[in-house]
Amino acid sequence: MPKFLHAACGGDDKTRTTREFAKEEWQETRMDAYGEANPDVVSSLPDMLGASGLQTASFDAAFTSHSLERLYAHQAVAALENLARVLKDDGYLVVACSDLQAICALVAEDKLLEPAYQSPAGPVTPLDVLYGFRPALAAGHENHACKCGFTSHALMGSLRQAGFKSLWITKNPSSFSLVCIACKQEVPEEHLRELIAKHFG
């Protein structure tokens, strides 16, 4: 049974990842820095190195969504290096984050406080994307504050700096986000396309 690490999972489980990871055959290990999320492993992304249950080359894949922007820029690269470390040689990472290039286009149009899209938690403005979702911050969830951000070029650069060799990235205009599959080793384009089809159709 293949295993994947659901890193910085919050309250989500595999059903809130991708259609491939949601399948029964994938064994999920949930990791989060906060115990109230009831994760299998309590650890932040930058501090994974010493965490029990996160051995080197022990996972077939990893997934993390909208967690990198909640770290400082130097921590984000360290987090990606940690994710690469726990992957097997043929492993891969699926990562999603906000698309600053798209959201800043709205800021340039003076739409900082206008809803950019609707999330399950309510309307999200460019200000929320840039600095953290204000209702969550107002409720005391300061860990939702954003400390860095990415364009597609910057995300690919950070992934390559962390050691990932083969990359695919796309923009999701409806949620102003970037989605990327990053393979630890060089893979043929056909293999990367197969992964894209499995996870995103």
Side-chain angles (χ1 to χ4, degrees):
M1 175 178 285
K3 300 192 305 179
F4 83 98
L5 177 66
H6 189 173
C9 61
D12 293 343
D13 61 18
K14 64 191 292 184
T15 63
R16 298 288 301 274
T17 57
T18 73
R19 69 181 191 178
E20 173 66 16
F21 289 145
K23 292 179 179 177
E24 186 176 347
E25 58 259 35
W26 280 92
Q27 178 183 334
E28 175 190 33
T29 297
R30 296 174 64 251
M31 183 200 86
D32 199 81
Y34 301 92
E36 58 264 30
N38 295 315
D40 302 301
V41 177
V42 177
S43 175
S44 69
L45 280 163
D47 298 326
M48 286 170 58
L49 192 60
S52 176
L54 300 178
Q55 287 80 19
T56 297
S58 58
F59 290 93
D60 299 283
F63 173 88
T64 193
S65 179
H66 294 280
S67 58
L68 296 179
E69 55 260 59
R70 295 174 184 172
L71 304 172
Y72 291 109
H74 68 283
Q75 291 177 313
V77 173
L80 291 170
E81 290 173 342
N82 283 337
L83 289 168
R85 178 187 63 82
V86 301
L87 291 173
K88 297 176 182 178
D89 285 343
D90 60 350
Y92 63 94
L93 168 68
V94 179
V95 58
C97 66
S98 298
D99 180 3
L100 287 195
Q101 185 175 25
I103 209 70
C104 284
L106 295 182
V107 177
E109 295 173 11
D110 202 15
K111 296 179 179 179
L112 184 67
L113 297 176
E114 296 182 24
Y117 67 95
Q118 291 286 331
S119 76
V124 179
T125 70
L127 184 66
D128 296 319
V129 174
L130 290 171
Y131 297 107
F133 189 53
R134 286 171 294 160
L137 296 175
H141 302 292
E142 294 186 1
N143 56 303
H144 285 246
C146 295
K147 302 180 180 73
C148 73
F150 298 89
T151 63
S152 56
H153 180 75
L155 179 58
M156 293 185 81
S158 294
L159 286 161
R160 291 197 184 280
Q161 186 178 346
F164 291 93
K165 300 294 195 301
S166 292
L167 306 173
W168 168 87
I169 194 164
T170 190
K171 293 171 175 271
N172 185 344
S174 64
S175 61
F176 293 84
S177 62
L178 303 169
V179 179
C180 182
I181 293 178
C183 295
K184 192 170 178 179
Q185 300 297 332
E186 291 279 359
V187 299
E189 183 177 343
E190 181 180 350
H191 178 68
L192 202 52
R193 290 185 180 277
E194 288 174 358
L195 290 176
I196 295 165
K198 284 182 178 180
H199 287 278
F200 305 111

